[in-house]
Amino acid sequence: MSIFSGLLNAQRSHFAGKENALASSMWFATAGESVVTRPLNSNANVDVLVIGGGINGLTAMLQLTKLGVDAMLIEAGEFGEGASGRNAGMVNPGQFLGPDEIRAILGVEYGDIFVDELSKGPDLVKEILIEHDINCYADFRPVIRAAHDTKTAQMLHRQVKLWSDLGQPVEILEGNKLFEITGSQRWKTALMDYRGFTIQPLAYVRGLANAVLRKGGQLYQNVRATSLSREGADWIVSTVEGHPIRAKKVIMATNAYTGSLHPAFAQVLVTCGAFGVATCPLDKKLRGLILPSGHSLYDTHKIPLFLRYDPEGRLMIGSLGNLSDDSRRSIEAWGKRVLKRLWPQLPAPQWSHVWQGTIGLTNHHLPRLLSPEDGLIGTIGCNGRGIAANSYFGRMVADITMGRKVARPLPIEKQAPRAFKGPQQDGLDLAMRLYRNTFLLD
């Protein structure tokens, strides 16, 4: 087991298996070449250190580099090895909550900014792709959120009304129009969100890293931070490699992979597994039956189901919850049951990939902006909606770190409510497994 693997599994349920290698992911097959960086062979002294080389950290580093800041980023594994390179690749605006729920949690001042700014998150990703010429197979067909029962269908109608009143491009799909897009009789109502789209997430992460390198930024892979301490006005970050880094300010971009590095960023999160199983590339005939219009889809279950194609025609089926070390065959069987439930006329598929990652959940279902000590800041907990949000928050945190005025959609908290851990997290893991094997397949 690699050093990075040990970090990944530090906060997981006791029933969870080890997070498998990034190469097991479907996205590894089409992500292109890995990013090449030089090793960290000596001690370092910088103005700003970014810890974490996913979307959040790399967009922060990209902004710092554009501003000419003396900055460095370290990543415990390779870029995208965490959830940024393992997710479903859906670039959705905001969070799962509606605008009324967001305002109720954050208050009107922050809530209005959050609704407005995060609704534009997918547009920011588009700007980044264009500005830095990142090829990550962006597909601008809108994402579908399908209701799994009557109650959630009513919730989607309500959300469409609220978002439409704010001028956002969303609509309800029902009847033959929905069937033509999905090819399934399972769903009767869905929300079509024209703001969202899909990308190849690992290719996006690698594109961000290469954009930073082209601008002369300092990036290091396979450098794991082991401790974070104060020495006078500076931060000292120790590394496994034995080369400490001194920095005036530190941006934490570790999210669910924080481990024991700093309690303020670890204790407020519930870590949750997210997994995918992918078929071998499907032929044209089968693709004409399953999501024939090529849209990506997720549903409204408490433990949602995700469905989409990759650039080579593999069909990904994903959900939440941890996998056991020996679960490949059982998850393939689960994927077969999902397909049979949605498209009963299909033949049994051949499977190519099974993988998992870890996401961070907060107790109020929204991200948090933490600054527990002077010169230490970061956002955590995107609750499964990380691509657009982390692209936004990475740049925002970089600007805040440098004293720039920005529209801030979250209050800065020194300390947030502690999430449950230990036996309670184990219970959540078991409940998710039960749900995905029963109610999710109803």
Side-chain angles (χ1 to χ4, degrees):
M1 183 174 68
S2 70
I3 290 172
F4 185 65
S5 297
L7 176 64
L8 297 187
N9 295 298
Q11 300 183 112
R12 296 161 68 80
S13 158
H14 292 95
F15 300 106
K18 298 178 180 66
E19 192 162 295
N20 45 14
L22 182 60
S24 66
S25 166
M26 174 183 76
W27 302 120
F28 197 82
T30 56
E33 295 183 0
S34 297
V35 179
V36 177
T37 56
R38 65 182 187 272
L40 182 64
N41 292 324
S42 61
N43 301 351
N45 191 332
V46 293
D47 288 340
V48 180
L49 174 66
V50 180
I51 304 176
I55 294 171
N56 189 302
L58 286 167
T59 50
M61 188 64 186
L62 185 59
Q63 181 71 352
L64 293 170
T65 304
K66 289 168 67 174
L67 294 174
V69 178
D70 177 22
M72 172 190 292
L73 180 148
I74 58 173
E75 159 60 35
E78 70 171 283
F79 300 131
E81 191 152 355
S84 290
R86 299 169 183 258
N87 61 74
M90 298 183 186
V91 187
N92 289 306
Q95 299 288 288
F96 290 102
L97 305 178
D100 55 334
E101 297 167 297
I102 293 170
R103 293 191 188 97
I105 293 169
L106 295 178
V108 174
E109 179 184 356
Y110 288 112
D112 282 347
I113 298 173
F114 191 102
V115 168
D116 182 55
E117 290 290 302
L118 274 296
S119 293
K120 297 181 289 190
D123 288 336
L124 171 62
V125 175
K126 292 177 185 178
E127 292 172 11
I128 291 172
L129 299 183
I130 293 170
E131 180 180 355
H132 301 286
D133 194 25
I134 296 174
N135 178 15
C136 58
Y137 301 96
D139 184 336
F140 297 111
R141 280 172 284 199
V143 176
I144 298 167
R145 187 181 188 189
H148 73 280
D149 61 13
T150 302
K151 183 178 180 180
T152 54
Q154 294 171 348
M155 179 270 292
L156 292 184
H157 275 280
R158 184 172 64 254
Q159 284 203 2
V160 164
K161 173 67 166 61
L162 292 169
W163 286 119
S164 296
D165 288 347
L166 293 173
Q168 298 298 329
V170 295
E171 70 167 319
I172 286 291
L173 299 178
E174 294 178 317
N176 288 336
K177 188 173 182 180
L178 179 57
F179 175 75
E180 289 172 2
I181 290 175
T182 66
S184 175
Q185 297 286 358
R186 173 66 181 88
W187 303 292
K188 307 303 181 185
T189 302
L191 184 158
M192 177 86 89
D193 195 328
Y194 290 91
R195 299 168 295 176
F197 61 99
T198 56
I199 59 172
Q200 210 281 27
L202 183 56
Y204 178 51
V205 172
R206 290 177 176 178
L208 289 171
N210 282 318
V212 173
L213 291 172
R214 286 194 298 269
K215 290 186 173 296
Q218 298 185 70
L219 300 180
Y220 296 91
Q221 298 178 99
N222 301 303
V223 177
R224 179 188 169 192
T226 57
S227 68
L228 187 63
S229 59
R230 296 301 296 261
E231 187 175 290
D234 294 341
W235 287 97
I236 305 297
V237 178
S238 300
T239 66
V240 166
E241 293 69 25
H243 300 300
I245 303 166
R246 179 183 292 269
K248 294 180 175 63
K249 298 179 180 180
V250 173
I251 294 175
M252 292 284 287
T254 48
N255 201 30
Y257 298 83
T258 300
S260 59
L261 196 55
H262 197 287
F265 290 88
Q267 293 176 354
V268 301
L269 285 181
V270 174
T271 57
C272 170
F275 68 89
V277 55
T279 67
C280 295
L282 301 183
D283 60 32
K284 187 176 180 180
K285 180 180 178 180
L286 287 177
R287 292 193 66 172
L289 299 173
I290 306 171
L291 301 174
S293 297
H295 291 270
S296 297
L297 178 148
Y298 67 103
D299 72 9
T300 54
H301 276 98
K302 291 181 179 179
I303 311 299
L305 188 67
F306 300 86
L307 296 147
R308 65 160 297 183
Y309 287 104
D310 86 338
E312 294 181 346
R314 298 176 184 87
L315 177 66
M316 171 192 172
I317 307 168
S319 190
L320 300 184
N322 294 302
L323 303 182
S324 302
D325 287 332
D326 58 352
S327 62
R328 178 172 182 123
R329 293 179 69 179
S330 64
I331 289 299
E332 289 177 352
W334 174 85
K336 180 180 177 180
R337 290 169 62 198
V338 170
L339 289 181
K340 204 62 166 175
R341 176 69 180 86
L342 300 176
W343 295 279
Q345 75 276 28
L346 296 179
Q350 297 294 314
W351 304 101
S352 62
H353 297 80
V354 174
W355 72 101
Q356 61 180 322
T358 306
I359 63 174
L361 308 177
T362 59
N363 64 345
H364 66 342
H365 310 295
L366 289 173
R368 292 190 181 278
L369 173 57
L370 297 178
S371 182
E373 302 180 57
D374 290 343
L376 180 65
I377 192 169
T379 54
I380 56 170
C382 283
N383 299 279
R385 282 235 175 156
I387 295 177
N390 276 322
S391 298
Y392 176 90
F393 287 133
R395 186 177 68 172
M396 178 196 75
V397 169
D399 283 336
I400 292 173
T401 299
M402 300 316 299
R404 291 163 60 90
K405 290 185 177 180
V406 293
R408 186 157 49 82
L410 296 168
I412 297 177
E413 301 176 272
K414 290 186 71 68
Q415 183 177 357
R418 181 171 179 150
F420 57 75
K421 297 290 181 183
Q424 292 173 304
Q425 182 146 338
D426 292 342
L428 175 65
D429 182 12
L430 293 176
M432 284 185 167
R433 294 175 191 231
L434 175 63
Y435 191 99
R436 74 173 182 244
N437 286 304
T438 54
F439 300 110
L440 188 59
L441 298 173
D442 284 349

